Amino acid sequence: MPSANYRTLLRTPGAAAFFLTACVGRVGLAMTGLGIVWLVHARTGSYGAAGLVTGCFAVTDALAGPQLGRLVDRFGQTRTLPCTVIAHAGAVALLVTGAVPDPVAGALVGATLPQISAFAAARWSALLHDGPDGALPRAYALESLANGLSFLAGPALVSSAGAAGHPRLGTLLAAALVVGGGLALAAQPRTAPPVEGRAARQGAGRALLSPAFGRLVAVTLALGVFFGAQQVSIGAYAVERGTPDLAPLLYAVSNCTSLVGGWLYGLRKWPLSPVRQRTAVCAALAVVVLPLTVLDAPLPIAVCLALTGLAVPPLLILFSLLTESTVPRAVLTQAFTWGGSASAAGVAVAGALAGRAVDAGGAHGGFAVSAAATVGMTLISGWRGGRLG
């Protein structure tokens, strides 16, 4: 069975333990932002206030993530994770109790959020760097699957708690999962990446300023714009048709095929280099998004969204692979966190851009922002020394 490849991967000593504990924390991460929305809205009765606090959370998460990654590269996961999750628990307590203004508490929650996906990716790199050929891409495909499932299960748990009249419960459960998963991960030093010596760290940060890594971050930023624009545009399309209930179905189509795309990518070794794979997938994504700017019928739109779902996980997997091969190990965790921050920044920018585009030209205008992002990703990925190739 093809899934045996994944089972073999998880039989690597220590792999299953850190993967499962990271999954626990990942579900908590996926719940945190939406949990804040439910909590603040219940307290204030205002979605505007909830949006402001969530925005503060997202901005500080994006800004603090790479700094936390830098500390982890310097001192190691085992030493930094306990401090981070304890600080996060304190920030959540301030938010839940209302001891400080909600925007301040939201900012503190974001600033202390542990970057568990980046920590897990760094562990896979340390574990499989000299392992069998094809093992590391498969590990990152497994990470993609775990992230996808977390962002399906986490928001559903928060929404269920909020709809049942317990808006605090979602935030508290999210914090419990983040803290529990983070502490369990810290308790596994066997698979934690070793801290590089001073000589290895000296000058390693310059790799984060290299054109190759800059291109990686730029592609991920554009991918975030695509994500954010799609979220706005799908909702706008459903509302325009007078069928708002259609939006969750369209989201589900894309999310489910995304899981399939990540699983399929990890089952085989691909003949093209990772850089050429990235350019090819970016171009394929652009081809299937462009029709969304003119299509009107739900079925063709659902087909295009299903195809976009297949294309996204390989891009995330390739970001991890190319990051791992581009930067020194002394700054690897920080490099992984820059990807998450770039994607989050892209989503934030897209919210404003796509919103204006929808106001001006309807859902097709929003999809045009998505299409422009994918074309930009293709051009950035394919640019080589002053030419495309």
Side-chain angles (χ1 to χ4, degrees), residues 228-238 251 354 358 363 365-370:
Q230 287 290 93
Q231 291 172 5
V232 173
S233 304
I234 291 171
Y237 168 76
Y251 289 131
V358 167
F367 285 127
V369 175
S370 299

Side-chain angles (χ1 to χ4, degrees), residues 134-152:
L136 193 56
R138 190 171 300 124
Y140 290 144
L142 190 61
E143 287 290 297
S144 173
L145 277 169
N147 282 328
L149 288 170
S150 297
F151 278 90
L152 284 175

Side-chain angles (χ1 to χ4, degrees), residues 18-93:
F18 88 73
F19 174 72
L20 292 174
T21 52
C23 284
V24 171
R26 245 187 291 251
V27 174
L29 296 181
M31 297 170 66
T32 303
L34 186 57
I36 292 173
V37 173
W38 277 98
L39 176 64
V40 177
H41 177 261
R43 179 180 294 161
T44 64
S46 168
Y47 279 111
L52 173 63
V53 177
T54 307
C56 292
F57 158 79
V59 168
T60 55
D61 178 30
L63 292 176
Q67 309 317 313
L68 177 58
R70 184 179 181 182
L71 289 174
V72 170
D73 285 328
R74 174 68 180 83
F75 298 106
Q77 292 186 18
T78 303
R79 293 173 65 184
T80 54
L81 254 175
C83 299
T84 304
V85 297
I86 290 170
H88 181 69
V92 171

